[in-house]
Amino acid sequence: MNIVDCENVSVRYPGAGRTAVAGMTTHVQRGQWVNIVGPNGCGKTSLLHALARVLPVEAGRITVADIDITASSTRNLLSPAAARHRRHLACTVALMPQTPTIPEGMDVYDYVLLGRHPHSRVPGKHDARVVQRCLDELNLHDYSGRFVSSLSGGERQRVSLARALAQEPEVLLLDEPTSALDIGHAQETLELIDSVRARRGLTVIAAMHDLTLTAQYGDRVLMMAGGRKVAEGAAEEVLTVSRIREIYGASVAVTTHEGRPVVIPRRPSGN
Ligand SMILES: Nc1ncnc2c1ncn2[C@@H]1O[C@H](COP(=O)(O)OP(=O)(O)OP(=O)(O)O)[C@@H](O)[C@H]1O
């Protein structure tokens, strides 16, 4: 059963000449993990932001957990039905942004607790338990009293993921979740996401740059270029030498380990 349906979606930033996402159609089943790849500026973040309803779509339709988030009725701030939809969506979809906004003077515990806001306006014991579990799962228990602004880039990224998981969403949107993480923390983080997915039927849609990690985690790869989908399918179908050369302009070798592609950058011949 699909939890996300994206039909012919286009996104354009105010005043921008060209669309950031154009004619995007994709469907994601509940519990699937889909990785979005493609070169810088190809539209990965814009697509995630459209799915999270952070960015309005110019054309097309997006349905998340049976809510048409592009319907004009859900945009009416004064309508009680629209307010119900927004609340339902906030409980259903969590976005871990590429660059999280960190409020000044907020400690890690309170920042992760923000993830509970869509569920409980006044946090109770259950919310405290969820926050503690997320901090423990990401090995952040010792950081709980630290100001978020005092953390390293990688620590902040894990705190941002803890906040998104504390939201207990059905759909988790991750914008380059391991970009600031060392290889150990990257692996640990992706394993944790995968175990939450297996346990709770979480659906994951992630923008990724590391093509080997992309192949190791996830059921499907959606490759974009210039705002459009250029390929979608199993990692071994999408991540081929010729396509990576064509779309990224990169020289790579692709081997296989345990049935999944491994993408190795190579210096162009002659160097
Ligand atoms: N706020 C904005 N206003 C105008 N154009 C924008 C804005 N944000 C992004 N864009 C443009 O939209 C296009 C898609 O950008 P987007 O951030 O979605 O790409 P991306 O694939 O996530 O890139 P990266 O891998 O570098 O993070 C780019 O051409 C970018 O310049």
Side-chain angles (χ1 to χ4, degrees), residues 107-130:
D107 69 27
V108 167
Y109 185 91
D110 284 342
Y111 184 71
V112 176
L113 187 62
L114 286 178
R116 298 303 302 160
H117 186 67
H119 297 276
S120 335
R121 292 288 141 83
V122 181
K125 280 188 186 153
H126 174 70
D127 302 297
R129 274 198 299 273
V130 173

Side-chain angles (χ1 to χ4, degrees), residues 54-246:
V54 174
L55 262 182
V57 308
E58 181 182 62
R61 182 171 174 205
I62 299 176
T63 309
V64 179
D66 295 329
I67 301 177
D68 179 353
I69 65 168
T70 44
S72 55
S73 57
T74 64
R75 291 200 293 268
N76 178 353
L77 292 177
L78 299 176
S79 132
R84 266 199 312 280
H85 277 160
R86 280 197 300 279
R87 193 170 161 78
H88 176 51
L89 197 68
C91 293
T92 307
V93 179
L95 169 70
M96 178 190 164
Q98 204 170 1
T99 321
T101 312
I102 309 290
E104 265 310 309
M106 182 170 273
D107 69 27
V108 167
Y109 185 91
D110 284 342
Y111 184 71
V112 176
L113 187 62
L114 286 178
R116 298 303 302 160
H117 186 67
H119 297 276
S120 335
R121 292 288 141 83
V122 181
K125 280 188 186 153
H126 174 70
D127 302 297
R129 274 198 299 273
V130 173
V131 169
Q132 201 53 56
R133 190 191 68 217
C134 294
L135 290 172
D136 289 346
E137 283 178 337
L138 282 151
N139 287 327
L140 287 166
H141 33 261
D142 292 342
Y143 293 75
S144 146
R146 290 260 308 264
F147 284 138
V148 184
S149 53
S150 75
L151 302 179
S152 77
E155 289 163 349
R156 278 187 203 199
Q157 204 162 26
R158 279 155 57 215
V159 166
S160 174
L161 177 62
R163 175 186 147 156
L165 289 175
Q167 212 171 317
E168 296 191 308
E170 291 178 51
V171 180
L172 180 61
L173 306 173
L174 304 167
D175 200 349
E176 297 179 28
T178 57
S179 59
L181 302 186
D182 64 68
I183 187 169
H185 280 115
Q187 223 166 33
E188 197 177 277
T189 299
L190 294 172
E191 286 294 330
L192 170 69
I193 294 166
D194 204 33
S195 77
V196 177
R197 177 172 83 113
R199 244 184 301 132
R200 292 216 308 257
L202 179 71
T203 305
V204 180
I205 306 178
M208 298 278 284
H209 275 306
D210 186 315
L211 298 180
T212 298
L213 286 179
T214 294
Q216 284 180 346
Y217 295 88
D219 308 296
R220 199 164 88 232
V221 180
L222 189 166
M223 186 180 278
M224 297 178 69
R228 296 188 173 272
K229 175 164 83 177
V230 291
E232 186 171 22
E236 58 273 25
E237 292 160 13
V238 175
L239 301 176
T240 60
V241 169
S242 57
R243 190 174 283 114
I244 293 169
R245 187 188 313 115
E246 181 196 339

Side-chain angles (χ1 to χ4, degrees), residues 13 16 18 20 39-46 98 176 209:
Y13 290 91
R18 75 173 184 87
N40 293 135
C42 72
K44 301 178 296 296
T45 296
S46 306
Q98 204 170 1
E176 297 179 28
H209 275 306

